[in-house]
Amino acid sequence: MIQRVDLHTHSTASDGQYRPAELVRLAQKAGIECLALTDHDTIDGLSEAVRAGEETGITVLRGIELGASEDRHLHIVGLGLREDCPEMQALCQKLKDSRDERKYRIAAFLEEKGVGIPLSEVEELAKGGVVARPHFAQVLLRHGFVSSTREAFDRYLDTSEYKRIERYKADAVSCISVIHASGGKAVLAHPCQLHYEPERLEELVRRLKEQAGLDALECYYPEHTPEMVRNYLDLAHRYDLHVSAGSDFHGEKVHADRPLCPVSVETDWLLAET
């Protein structure tokens, strides 16, 4: 079955702008037939999103996005998780505990840089969800320390100095294993962000396929040029991977350059057991 999909989106359950139900309604307006909610390190928003999907007639897949320990830009998206997935719940709790502790270190780091901001304001912006770097970026912008959230990352939150503020992450093989144990399919997200040479990227794909059974590659993504898309489609074909597509939508206040973007792809591999 070919459907218009967006299989990589975020809500207020992590660092997105819109509540899960609001996101689903926006997806309906955008002409999306199959939507995956893939919040960072949490599955808290999935039940709300699924209910909204039932109300609007959109197929909503339970998903997640996990950062892997090998590289800060190596992310694994899980799609089609079961409603009852204790393995994923346990991992999410461990990740949440680590993020909760890290927020104090981020606040202290920014204070050292002369851009101290109220942590309570950052927490309020997170609306009870996972506190993440985009929340700090938005508060830095609100207080006039930067002229854009992109500048907040470039100057403070995505620098070599910032790397010392680490949190717990599972390795990529473990991420895939937990996704599979939770009934889902594992996707290597936005390969362009790794900035790997073709040979290194292919070696990563080969390793994740052979060692963990990687299911798919996110070939369609806002930052992928037409040439990149062709190369990623070829790579997926060589390693018998399914083709995924996602906008990485967070909302216009968070990432204005990543609107919801339906792409027509085959979805039988995702819907067979959902």
Side-chain angles (χ1 to χ4, degrees):
M1 179 192 308
I2 303 295
Q3 288 185 299
R4 290 166 59 81
V5 309
D6 193 332
L7 302 176
H8 186 167
T9 66
H10 300 275
S11 75
T12 52
S14 62
D15 57 352
Q17 178 180 342
Y18 296 99
R19 290 193 57 82
E22 293 174 322
L23 171 64
V24 173
R25 288 192 286 271
L26 288 172
Q28 181 189 36
K29 292 179 181 178
I32 292 166
E33 299 172 287
C34 180
L35 177 78
L37 176 59
T38 57
D39 276 311
H40 297 283
D41 301 340
T42 182
I43 55 177
D44 287 350
L46 297 183
S47 294
E48 179 182 331
V50 170
R51 287 195 300 270
E54 292 169 350
E55 294 169 0
T56 58
I58 294 178
T59 298
V60 174
L61 298 176
R62 298 174 179 270
I64 194 167
E65 183 175 11
L66 300 171
S69 60
E70 293 94 329
D71 188 302
R72 68 183 309 171
H73 298 295
L74 175 53
H75 290 188
I76 307 295
V77 163
L79 300 174
L81 307 177
R82 290 192 301 266
E83 181 176 3
D84 181 26
C85 48
E87 298 89 350
M88 186 62 74
Q89 290 170 339
L91 175 58
C92 287
Q93 186 61 55
K94 189 171 184 177
L95 294 169
K96 181 180 185 300
D97 292 344
S98 179
R99 281 185 181 271
D100 284 345
E101 186 275 332
R102 185 188 61 162
K103 67 186 177 186
Y104 299 105
R105 290 188 286 122
I106 295 177
F109 172 78
L110 293 174
E111 185 74 34
E112 290 175 12
K113 297 301 175 184
V115 289
I117 54 177
L119 181 56
S120 59
E121 194 172 336
V122 178
E123 293 172 324
E124 181 182 357
L125 191 61
K127 299 178 181 178
V130 176
V131 175
R133 289 183 300 162
H135 299 126
F136 281 92
Q138 290 177 67
V139 176
L140 285 169
L141 175 61
R142 183 183 295 171
H143 284 263
F145 289 117
V146 294
S147 59
S148 67
T149 55
R150 181 67 265 168
E151 183 185 353
F153 278 87
D154 291 341
R155 291 184 60 186
Y156 302 110
L157 301 172
D158 200 12
T159 65
S160 57
E161 280 189 278
Y162 176 86
K163 290 180 181 178
R164 62 185 169 87
I165 306 175
E166 293 297 336
R167 62 180 177 85
Y168 170 77
K169 294 180 181 180
D171 62 81
V173 169
S174 297
C175 290
I176 294 171
S177 176
V178 174
I179 288 169
H180 286 165
S182 303
K185 305 292 187 183
V187 183
L188 176 59
H190 41 58
C192 69
Q193 292 191 3
L194 288 165
H195 298 293
Y196 287 179
E197 293 297 323
E199 295 78 10
R200 186 181 180 191
L201 178 61
E202 182 164 356
E203 177 55 35
L204 172 66
V205 169
R206 180 187 301 112
R207 179 174 70 84
L208 296 182
K209 175 71 173 182
E210 292 178 352
Q211 295 184 11
L214 180 70
D215 298 290
L217 183 65
E218 192 172 63
C219 298
Y220 296 97
Y221 185 78
E223 296 176 17
H224 291 175
T225 65
E227 181 181 6
M228 287 178 179
V229 172
R230 288 193 296 270
N231 291 337
Y232 296 148
L233 288 171
D234 181 62
L235 183 59
H237 178 73
R238 289 203 304 276
Y239 288 90
D240 194 26
L241 297 173
H242 297 288
V243 172
S244 189
S247 66
D248 204 359
F249 178 79
H250 287 70
E252 62 277 2
K253 291 183 180 179
V254 184
H255 289 299
D257 57 340
R258 298 177 191 170
L260 287 166
C261 183
V263 176
S264 295
V265 299
E266 189 269 322
T267 57
D268 287 345
W269 62 283
L270 280 171
L271 304 179
E273 298 181 2
T274 62

